[in-house]
Structure formats: C-alpha cells, structure tokens
Amino acid sequence: MKGLVVGNGGREHAIAWKLLQSPQIETCICTPGNGGTATLQGCQNLDIPIDDFAGILKAVQDNRVDFVVIGPEYPLSLGITDYLQQHHVKVFGPTQAGAQIEASKAWAKELMLEAGVPTAVSQTFRETTAAKTYIAERGAPIVIKADQLAAGKGVIVAQTLEEAYQAVDDLIAKGFTPLVIEDYLAGEEASVLALCDGLTVCSLLPAQDHKRIGEGDTGSNTGGMGAYAPAPVASPDILAEVTEKVLKPTLATLQKRGIDYRGVLYAGLMISPEKQIKVLEFNCRFGDPEIQAILPLLETPLEELILACIEQKLGVLPAIRWKNGSSICVVAASQGYPEAYEKGKVITGIETAEAQDVFVFQAGTQWVNHQLITDGGRVLGITAIGETFQSAREKVYQGVNCIQFAGKTYRRDIGYRVC
Ligand code: AMP
Ligand code: GLY
C-alpha cells in the first residue's frame, strides 16, 4: 500500500516513519515533508503546500495512493477532507464541519455544553468593554483565548486583572475576535488522543506535553517543547472516565449534528488535585510533539488503525498493542522561539544520536546544498524509550547532546514530574 501524509512537522515525520515500519506499506509520500522525510527510506517528498488541495489530489491520483493522513489542523479547517472525499480518496481526518472542534473554541465550548462534557465556565466576547467587565466580575487568574487557530499563541493565562485586560487589548489588536474568556483551572494537564471512526472512539496511550518555553513550566506558551507517554496522571481509571464523560458524549453530539467524524479527537485535559477532569480544548489531529512520544511505543501497525477509522471498523479492531516501557520526546528549537528566530543554521550529529538508540524526528529542517539546515521554530523532536522514564530520560538527553546547531534551545527538564 501507499500512504500520503500531508504536513511538514515532527508529527508528520513520525507518522511516515511509523507507517513505513509496516510490511504492508511500500512507500509513503509527504506533501511537502521536511528534511527528515526527505531522507527517510521509502519516503518521498513532493513540494506541494498543505492547502493546495488540487495539487495533493493530483499527487494521490498520479501515484495511486491508497490513503491520505492529514497531519495539521489548518488544511482540515479549510475542508481538505471534504474535497478529497468528493474525489473518492480515503482520508484520515475530520471534515471541515468536524474540524470546527479545534478551529473555533466558541464552537467547541457550545458543543461541550450540549454534550455535558466537563469544562471551565466561559463566555464569548466580540467587544473589549464587555470582555473587561466580565473579567472584573470573574476575577483573576483568568484565561483569555482567541477563538480561532493561532498555532499555540492565542491563549493567555493571566495572573492578574491588569494582565487580563492587556491580553484582551493585545489579542483584539492582532485581529483575534471573538475571544473566549474562561475560568482558570489548576491541576496537571494530559493529552488524550483518541481514534474515531464516526461511531466508536478508542484512546491511544495518554501523554503529557510541556507547553511552556521555560523550565519548570514557565514563560510563554509554545506548540510544545517536549512530551512523554504513557502519562501516569491519566491513570486507567481516569482514562475510562475520559472515555465515558468526554469522548463518547462528544462523539454522540457530533453525530447528532450530522458530523461524521473520522480521525483523531484529541482532548486536552486539566486534572485537578482532587482528580476531577475538565476539557481545556479539543484538537482535530494528532498532538505534536505528543505523537512523537506515543508512536515509538505502538506495536499495532499504524495503517491498520488509520484504515479502521476511515472504513468505520474501529469497533471490530482487536485491542491496540503497545510496547512496555516509557517514552520521552525533547524538542530542540531555534533560539528565540516562540517569538522571532533565525533559520538556516547547519545541523550536525543526527546520525551519532541515532546510533545511540534514539529517534530523531525532524520538524523545521530542510536540505540545502547537501546540508541539513534549520527551517522553523521547533527543529527536532528527539525521542527515546526505556524500561522506565528515568532510563528514557537519560538516553534522550544523551541524544540531544549529540546534536548541534547554532542557537539550539531545549528544556532540560522534560518528564520532571515522572523522573
Ligand atoms: P488551549 O489551546 O486551550 O489548550 O490552551 C493552551 C494552554 O493554556 C493549555 O495547554 C494550558 O496550559 C493553558 N490553559 C488553557 N486553558 C486554561 C484554563 N482554563 N486554566 C488554566 N490553564 C489553561
Ligand atoms: N502539543 C499540543 C498540540 O499539538 O496542540
């Protein structure tokens, strides 16, 4: 079989890598892919942008691709699945209607309310004065969120009223309206990525992402600076509760709205010290870097899971098989990320790292004149698995130390809650 993966991040490198481990997969195409997928054996990059639907369809038809996996949320929110399905392509990823669960936080909040899914109290505002009046009523800390997709940069957790008012002004000045203003939730976060075939949901191993740029979870929010799996905070009991109270009612409500949701339903959760779960957000695709930590532990061939979602056979699929052990992924980013950063720095040491039993998933990289150079904010996701989190962590940082590029920035404390 041939698979095509849309996207160019670490997530897409990890998906292509995992697909190609299956004897059923002859080749994989990435549109557009990155420096990592360019040199992955069995994989080919085609320089087609993620929102060029006609170009992607042509690549599918020309290469007789059997199924397509959509990595990022952006093309899903633009309706790539609807477009490809109209041309009889098998696609993993929800339709435009389903992708609203990530593309509009207000829409997702309303869906959660209807489904009875536990989530923070919130209100949606289009106008500054009303937003600030609401903030004054609710008090700080409080969370201000851009309704629309903002690549991890549209959420401000304000500790004081002044910060909250400033956040409203800043987000509105950047053109983000409406805003969702939400009560602050304390606790520990977990990412539960569930497969969904429109009828059934089935969660993968839970993961924990480190969203902040700074050690000890401080500083700005990013797309994710590292992740580990399985996250013990989402114990089997919690996971069962997430399935019953979050995933199933969400799917039922999507069905009620006539949305046939096939792909990943990702629940970003806050788990309080009293073990109460609340949904912070839904995403409509695999989490990145979470999936870079999860896939190395997966035993079941990935295409079996993907095809079961597309063909609505998740309910009859045998239980997903996992390797024993623990996985940690550390993101190496460009200096300055998540703000402005430079590109074009030469990367060395990947082979040395890989010789030490770590996986180096590439995100913002490309080949120029036979040199691998940085080409984005998050550059690499270095992942190791071990019998314990401690052993995975030792290995992964040995790998990180093998790799060099000017301005290499990473957190030294990924997995600190479990090590
Ligand atoms: P979101 O994109 O909604 O998941 O928000 C990004 C990050 O902001 C989350 O991963 C949390 O770290 C933080 N966050 C979002 N909503 C809340 C909330 N209600 N309380 C505390 N932290 C939050
Ligand atoms: N790592 C968080 C996300 O993928 O949204």
Side-chain angles (χ1 to χ4, degrees), residues 128-146:
T128 311
T129 313
K132 289 183 181 172
T133 307
Y134 179 75
I135 290 170
E137 273 167 31
R138 299 302 293 181
I142 191 157
V143 185
I144 325 295
K145 300 185 175 188

Side-chain angles (χ1 to χ4, degrees), residues 31-293:
T31 55
N34 58 29
T37 54
T39 46
L40 181 64
Q41 187 143 23
C43 189
Q44 182 196 3
N45 282 353
L46 293 177
D47 192 14
I48 304 170
I50 58 174
D51 56 357
D52 178 359
F53 297 176
I56 291 168
L57 175 65
K58 185 165 183 317
V60 167
Q61 291 168 338
D62 289 353
N63 294 283
R64 299 177 181 275
V65 164
D66 296 287
F67 62 91
V68 177
V69 181
I70 314 297
E73 59 278 14
Y74 181 58
L76 291 167
S77 75
L78 296 179
I80 191 171
T81 297
D82 311 62
Y83 177 86
L84 292 174
Q85 280 178 346
Q86 279 155 18
H87 293 87
H88 313 291
V89 178
K90 290 185 174 183
V91 196
F92 179 82
T95 57
Q96 188 169 29
Q100 290 178 93
I101 204 156
E102 173 165 4
S104 167
K105 289 194 190 283
W107 191 91
K109 276 288 192 183
E110 203 203 301
L111 185 105
M112 284 190 250
L113 215 62
E114 186 183 334
V117 166
T119 185
V121 172
S122 75
Q123 270 194 37
T124 302
F125 295 92
R126 296 190 168 272
E127 195 270 313
T128 311
T129 313
K132 289 183 181 172
T133 307
Y134 179 75
I135 290 170
E137 273 167 31
R138 299 302 293 181
I142 191 157
V143 185
I144 325 295
K145 300 185 175 188
D147 175 65
Q148 73 227 54
L149 295 179
K153 292 167 197 161
V155 174
I156 293 156
V157 180
Q159 296 302 331
T160 62
L161 289 178
E162 286 64 36
E163 268 181 60
Y165 300 147
Q166 189 64 48
V168 169
D169 290 338
D170 291 350
L171 288 172
I172 287 185
K174 284 185 193 157
F176 288 128
T177 42
L179 299 179
V180 173
I181 301 184
E182 178 173 288
D183 283 3
Y184 173 82
L185 299 172
E188 202 178 323
E189 287 181 57
S191 304
V192 174
L193 281 53
L195 299 173
C196 190
D197 69 355
L199 300 175
T200 309
V201 279
C202 174
S203 67
L204 302 179
L205 290 181
Q208 189 170 71
D209 182 14
H210 292 260
K211 288 223 168 77
R212 305 294 194 94
I213 187 73
E215 283 159 19
D217 296 324
T218 53
S220 316
N221 263 323
T222 69
M225 292 302 292
Y228 61 89
V233 64
S235 63
D237 283 354
I238 298 257
L239 216 49
E241 198 181 331
V242 172
T243 302
E244 292 308 316
K245 294 194 178 156
V246 175
L247 301 172
K248 285 186 181 172
T250 300
L251 177 60
T253 308
L254 288 165
Q255 284 172 332
K256 216 167 95 187
R257 294 183 178 195
I259 296 172
D260 183 1
Y261 194 102
R262 304 186 195 193
V264 179
L265 181 60
Y266 162 149
L269 304 167
M270 189 66 90
I271 302 171
S272 76
E274 299 77 33
K275 304 288 171 212
Q276 295 236 314
I277 50 167
K278 289 213 165 115
V279 173
L280 295 175
E281 65 164 345
F282 280 117
N283 292 322
C284 62
R285 36 78 197 173
F286 289 123
D288 193 5
E290 290 96 319
I291 201 64
Q292 299 182 54

Side-chain angles (χ1 to χ4, degrees), residues 343-416:
K343 296 182 182 178
K345 312 292 179 195
V346 175
I347 307 167
T348 57
I350 289 184
E351 281 175 13
T352 320
E354 284 175 336
Q356 312 218 358
D357 196 23
V358 303
F359 312 98
V360 181
F361 298 121
Q362 299 186 28
T365 68
Q366 65 161 319
W367 289 94
V368 173
N369 298 330
H370 306 288
Q371 275 190 320
L372 187 68
I373 60 167
T374 66
D375 189 39
R378 291 190 292 175
V379 177
L380 304 169
I382 299 117
T383 303
I385 57 182
E387 273 177 37
T388 60
F389 280 115
Q390 284 82 355
S391 61
R393 190 176 181 181
E394 234 166 76
K395 252 203 249 177
V396 80
Y397 280 107
Q398 275 168 13
V400 171
N401 288 333
C402 293
I403 293 169
Q404 305 304 331
F405 57 89
K408 180 180 84 168
T409 302
Y410 62 96
R411 280 181 54 171
R412 289 162 180 77
D413 66 344
I414 301 301
Y416 72 86

